Amino acid sequence: MSYLWYIFFIIDWILFIPVFLTVLYLLVFAVSSLFTHKQHVVKSKHFNRFIVLIPAYKADKTIMQTVNSILGQNYPQRVFDVVVISDHQDEMTNMRLAQLPITLLTPNFEVSSKAKSLQYAILNLPQFKIYDAVIILDADNIVEPEFLEQMNDAYESAGTKAIQAHRMSRNRDTATARLDAIFEEINNSIFRKGHIAVGLSAAICGSGMLFEFEWFKRNIMKSHNTVGEDKELEILLMREGIYVDYFEDIHVYDEKTRQTTDFNNQRNRWVYTQLHTLINNIRFLPKAILGRHYDLLDKLIQWMLVPRTIMMSIILIMSLMGVLGLVLPFINTSSAIKWWIICSIALFAFSVATPDYLVDKNWDTDFLRAPLVIIWGLLNIARVGKTEADTRIGAVGRNIKKIKSTAIIKSRK
């Protein structure tokens, strides 16, 4: 019996140390987010020329709303272009899009990805077009009429080549969608508000992003990981010492997953992406430490943390093991005390990072449901790479010339 307890003791501490460090990191930046000062954005008299790229993969249900929202801007229409990369969408959807004052690209990728779509758009832009910045939206994003005006003011005020807008939920009609909205805002607080509060770069999150056009044009071609092109762009920004600013008052409304299965598949893909990105970039850790590149070092540390889905699953399981210690003699109940403490700290960090508007009448029910969703996600993590989105993984650089030569461009400008 003592032999079993010794094995449990070793496993217990092997799990506890990385989880403790992860919770400590989250707590520090969750508290830091409370001290973020409202940014002073000066109204710009200069109108930057934007190109808005919208990769759309089988997004027939949402793409028209997205395009109409970006076309309905208060910003002068002569200084922004909208490009939709319509990948495997219905002909009827493409016909409707073709009636709008946009540039429509209709690639036919054998293996589709967001990175490929972005590369395709850059390769097929008219050479005479000159832009100051590129904005990337997802095909289910909705923006307000003053979005481009706000981005223009922020770009002029920030003085940097990269900006992240505040992505938030546009739907909270199921328990899973509400959980997704809560997790999104926790990410905003910890990895964006909390970071800029201490002078570190904010994390980018795949849409609602702005980049200097020439920088993006050069660097999107370096993307190979079709699951996490935003992570690849992020590491390139950090390596060049480019600060990523975050503007909480610029809203991009993102449609959240409604089904638990989709929610878990999404988290599993993120776990895979985090691990893959870390393996590819851990070689930059000595340079970041010796060169005092704090943004790069912070980003690598982020990717070394235990993914939060796995972290909370471990905490919940190990905390419950303490209860089992009352029945199983080889489990020391007292060892669970530290797990109960770390669980309380993690919940405190998440509560601090959750904005008040999400604490509504459904909060209690959703809060009780969260552990079940998290544990179910851990049990299904072996399915990473088998979901529909993961089957679209392929080499991004492959057949670039073929892609360019087969482009179908329908421009209404």
Side-chain angles (χ1 to χ4, degrees):
M1 218 42 95
S2 61
Y3 178 72
L4 290 175
W5 184 89
Y6 183 70
I7 294 175
F8 174 78
F9 179 81
I10 294 175
I11 294 173
D12 180 64
W13 279 99
I14 288 175
L15 293 174
F16 181 78
I17 292 173
V19 168
F20 169 75
L21 294 175
T22 300
V23 170
L24 182 62
Y25 181 95
L26 298 176
L27 176 64
V28 168
F29 286 105
V31 173
S32 297
S33 69
L34 300 177
F35 299 96
T36 304
H37 297 290
K38 188 175 179 64
Q39 292 153 298
H40 180 64
V41 179
V42 179
K43 187 70 175 177
S44 176
K45 296 181 180 180
H46 172 69
F47 294 113
N48 286 287
R49 185 166 182 81
F50 294 130
I51 179 170
V52 182
L53 301 182
I54 309 176
Y57 176 78
K58 294 183 177 180
D60 303 273
K61 294 181 179 180
T62 59
I63 185 60
M64 295 303 298
Q65 286 182 296
T66 299
V67 174
N68 285 328
S69 74
I70 197 65
L71 289 177
Q73 294 294 299
N74 297 332
Y75 203 66
Q77 291 193 357
R78 68 181 185 279
V79 289
F80 77 93
D81 293 330
V82 179
V83 178
V84 175
I85 308 95
S86 179
D87 183 16
H88 287 82
Q89 296 198 119
D90 291 342
E91 285 299 319
M92 184 59 68
T93 301
N94 288 337
M95 288 178 62
R96 293 170 64 193
L97 288 169
Q99 305 304 312
L100 301 175
I102 65 171
T103 297
L104 176 64
L105 305 178
T106 56
N108 187 25
F109 298 129
E110 183 179 349
V111 180
S112 301
S113 75
K114 186 174 179 178
K116 279 187 176 181
S117 293
L118 294 173
Q119 290 176 329
Y120 186 95
I122 292 298
L123 286 170
N124 290 283
L125 288 177
Q127 295 297 318
F128 63 88
K129 290 282 189 177
I130 300 175
Y131 299 101
D132 297 302
V134 55
I135 294 173
I136 299 172
L137 296 176
D138 282 342
D140 58 1
N141 291 165
I142 298 294
V143 293
E144 295 167 339
E146 60 272 16
F147 171 72
L148 287 182
E149 185 179 355
Q150 290 177 320
M151 290 294 268
N152 183 65
D153 295 340
Y155 186 48
E156 288 291 304
S157 299
T160 186
K161 296 182 179 181
I163 287 174
Q164 176 64 55
H166 181 183
R167 196 171 69 173
M168 56 196 305
S169 173
R170 59 180 279 199
N171 65 293
R172 287 184 285 153
D173 48 354
T174 67
T176 300
R178 289 191 292 273
L179 275 179
D180 202 359
I182 292 169
F183 291 170
E184 178 85 74
E185 288 290 18
I186 288 174
N187 286 342
N188 286 331
S189 295
I190 294 174
F191 297 105
R192 295 174 189 95
K193 286 180 64 179
H195 274 66
I196 64 172
V198 298
L200 292 172
S201 282
I204 59 176
C205 58
S207 67
M209 306 178 296
L210 177 150
F211 302 101
E212 182 193 54
F213 179 75
E214 290 300 326
W215 184 91
F216 180 81
K217 183 178 179 180
R218 290 193 310 271
N219 287 281
I220 189 59
M221 295 304 170
K222 300 176 184 178
S223 177
H224 296 91
N225 183 352
T226 59
V227 179
E229 77 294 328
D230 55 334
K231 296 291 186 292
E232 292 189 313
L233 291 173
E234 203 166 29
I235 199 67
L236 290 169
L237 289 166
M238 299 303 101
R239 286 172 59 190
E240 292 186 28
I242 298 173
Y243 181 76
V244 180
D245 210 343
Y246 172 66
F247 289 84
E248 187 178 19
D249 294 334
I250 306 178
H251 297 157
V252 175
Y253 299 95
D254 181 61
E255 184 164 329
K256 297 305 174 187
T257 54
R258 292 177 168 84
Q259 303 299 323
T260 302
T261 301
D262 295 335
F263 178 86
N264 285 324
N265 286 339
Q266 183 185 66
R267 264 61 193 173
N268 291 343
R269 290 196 302 272
W270 290 352
V271 171
Y272 166 81
T273 302
Q274 179 176 328
L275 179 61
H276 186 272
T277 308
L278 175 62
I279 291 172
N280 286 342
N281 295 286
I282 192 64
R283 67 185 187 275
F284 299 119
L285 183 60
K287 177 183 176 182
I289 296 173
L290 296 175
R292 298 182 181 180
H293 300 307
Y294 297 118
D295 280 336
L296 177 58
L297 178 60
D298 173 70
K299 191 56 57 180
L300 293 172
I301 290 173
Q302 270 185 35
W303 295 333
M304 285 189 280
L305 299 176
V306 181
R308 274 150 296 154
T309 304
I310 297 177
M311 179 196 78
M312 288 307 299
S313 299
I314 293 173
I315 290 175
L316 291 170
I317 291 171
M318 296 305 291
S319 296
L320 291 173
M321 291 290 280
V323 179
L324 291 177
L326 300 174
V327 180
L328 303 178
F330 62 86
I331 297 178
N332 187 352
T333 304
S334 62
S335 68
I337 295 176
K338 64 180 180 297
W339 288 104
W340 296 336
I341 293 173
I342 205 68
C343 181
S344 300
I345 295 173
L347 293 176
F348 173 74
F350 292 151
S351 65
V352 167
T354 303
D356 293 340
Y357 81 89
L358 288 175
V359 184
D360 55 18
K361 63 181 181 180
N362 297 306
W363 171 260
D364 292 340
T365 304
D366 297 337
F367 186 81
L368 293 173
R369 179 186 174 90
L372 300 177
V373 174
I374 290 170
I375 292 176
W376 180 250
L378 182 64
L379 295 175
N380 285 277
I381 204 163
R383 299 173 59 191
V384 173
K386 295 181 181 180
T387 60
E388 178 183 353
D390 292 327
T391 62
R392 292 153 52 191
I393 298 175
V396 172
R398 186 176 57 189
N399 297 329
I400 290 292
K401 292 183 179 179
K402 180 180 178 181
I403 291 173
K404 185 175 181 179
S405 63
T406 58
I408 301 175
I409 306 175
K410 298 179 181 180
S411 177
R412 293 285 170 180
K413 290 270 180 176

